Amino acid sequence: MFCPRRNKHRFLFSLGIGIAIYSAIYLRENIVLYFTAHPKSDSCRSFPQYCGPFMEEDAPWQKRDCLSESYFTTKEPNCSRIAEELYFITAPLSREEEEYPLAFIITIHKELELFMRLLRAIYTPQNIYCIHVDTKSSQQYMTIVGQLASCFPNVFLATTREEVTYAGFSRLKADLNCMADLARSSIPWKKVINLCGQDFPVMSNRELVRYLQSKPWNGTNMTPGVKQPSTMMHRTQIQYEEINHSYMAPKGKTYTKGPPPHNLDIYFGTAYYALTRPFVDFVLRSTVAKDLLEWSRDTYSPDEHYWVTLNHLKDVPGSHTKGEWEGNIRAVKWKDQEGTKHKGCKGQYVRDICVFGLADLPWVIAKNSMFANKFERQIFPEAVDCLELWHRQKVLQEADVPIQPEWRLTTSRVSNQTLVEPATVAGR
Ligand SMILES: *[C@@H]1O[C@H](CO)[C@@H](O)[C@H](O)[C@H]1NC(C)=O
Ligand SMILES: *[C@@H]1O[C@H](CO)[C@@H](O)[C@H](O)[C@H]1NC(C)=O
Ligand SMILES: *[C@@H]1O[C@H](CO)[C@@H](O)[C@H](O)[C@H]1NC(C)=O
Ligand SMILES: *[C@@H]1O[C@H](CO)[C@@H](O)[C@H](O)[C@H]1NC(C)=O
């Protein structure tokens, strides 16, 4: 899975209870400081010069917000202000999008600000969003995410939560928990897309809707991958176990696995997907899917074989059996693809995946994948800043409805009135 965590919480386990309480207080205070460090005021209006190359040339602008998490520190959030003051888009931007609602599964455990930016980038009222918060996350984090969700009728927390282990079964289970919730939803969503907290969209919602209905994806699942290569076979030939909910390790030489159930051919691919609703219903109900799930419990990174294996069965809804790596699902710079698929990471590799820096954005944008991974607000904030501004600008330009002032993340630099509305944009 592409969303590795750093195990900085692990050391807490080994400390005594007194220290744990101290740590809890310390963490809590840190969080409070973190929220209030970004007061919403003129002083936090910045003009990130470095985003200039990604913005329209002849529109002088400045960034409006400094993401006000402070709303979420109180017990009762003021929902009527949240959507507006956090610049959420509150109406469908086109009929085309309205008629093709999407479902999203977002698994998170940290980085509240990045999550809120991700959510507002993909949020639109006709879609539906299931948020899976790791049970390892702090109570405060959980509460804040819950408050944010409670302000939107189409955003909810997964009813069953997992303690997610990197490359473990729990990661797959988290997605399935959300799917069970989504399957019961009355929102007529067409496809479900999974995300982690370090993804950010490149395509707009409208582009996603078009892409997912274009050939060969109309009514078809996207799970890029190939027949399991020999280098990956150990993942399903020996038994693995989750150690301390933090990593996967082989159980030992004698613990081998039997063959997959139902003579299934195991495939290997990305843990990311865009799946049709009938396929999700199939996964939740079919014996084949359930048996594969049980068999996958002690495999390494089962989310990288589960979806792609099922999608290669001819008779399942929306199956796509000959696509191999087809499907522009993620822009990721893997370290071992340096020189072949990309010219190196301008940010920094973490676990062989590039955390994008500002200078990676031209590559990310040119690749025009559905989403890009991965971003870290603490290491390279400019990359998120600029991609976010660029993305919102594109989203609004593509809209068929009049743009409301509070949907803009930028405002005119020449005046400090709330907005100088470029009349041309609304008409497009
Ligand atoms: C798991 O956690 C326990 C308790 O914190 C610790 O004693 C043990 O060494 C850990 N095991 C591994 C394999 O990391
Ligand atoms: C919530 O925000 C609205 C709009 O700013 C304001 O009119 C209202 O008084 C606020 N409600 C509470 C309970 O603070
Ligand atoms: C996608 O499939 C639906 C139902 O089969 C069909 O009505 C629609 O025209 C197709 N869309 C495109 C863009 O091919
Ligand atoms: C911008 O705001 C400041 C302080 O509110 C004010 O003094 C100044 O005249 C404003 N500038 C413009 C161009 O409106």
Side-chain angles (χ1 to χ4, degrees), residues 13 243-244 247:
F13 279 95
I243 307 289
N244 282 355
Y247 61 93

Side-chain angles (χ1 to χ4, degrees), residues 4-68:
R5 59 176 66 250
R6 276 175 287 158
N7 293 319
K8 61 183 169 191
H9 297 305
R10 215 196 317 167
F11 76 99
L12 285 177
F13 279 95
S14 54
L15 299 179
I17 284 195
I19 295 176
I21 291 169
Y22 170 80
S23 304
I25 293 166
Y26 171 79
L27 275 174
R28 190 164 162 264
E29 293 201 339
N30 251 5
I31 290 169
V32 172
L33 280 178
Y34 172 63
F35 291 137
T36 51
H38 304 270
K40 193 178 174 77
S41 73
D42 278 355
S43 66
C44 71
R45 286 190 172 184
S46 57
F47 173 59
Q49 292 281 358
Y50 47 78
C51 294
F54 306 102
M55 305 302 286
E56 284 192 341
E57 264 180 343
D58 53 354
W61 56 274
Q62 73 182 11
K63 205 177 155 210
R64 291 171 84 189
D65 87 313
C66 24
L67 208 69
S68 307

Side-chain angles (χ1 to χ4, degrees), residues 11 36 56 140 151 183 194 210 224 231 267 271 273 282 319-320 325 342 373 406 410:
F11 76 99
T36 51
E56 284 192 341
Q140 181 130 6
C151 289
N194 64 342
R210 284 188 183 165
T231 51
Y267 281 71
Y273 53 66
F282 160 82
S319 69
H320 188 62
W325 293 106
H342 62 89
N373 174 280
E406 60 282 358
T410 56

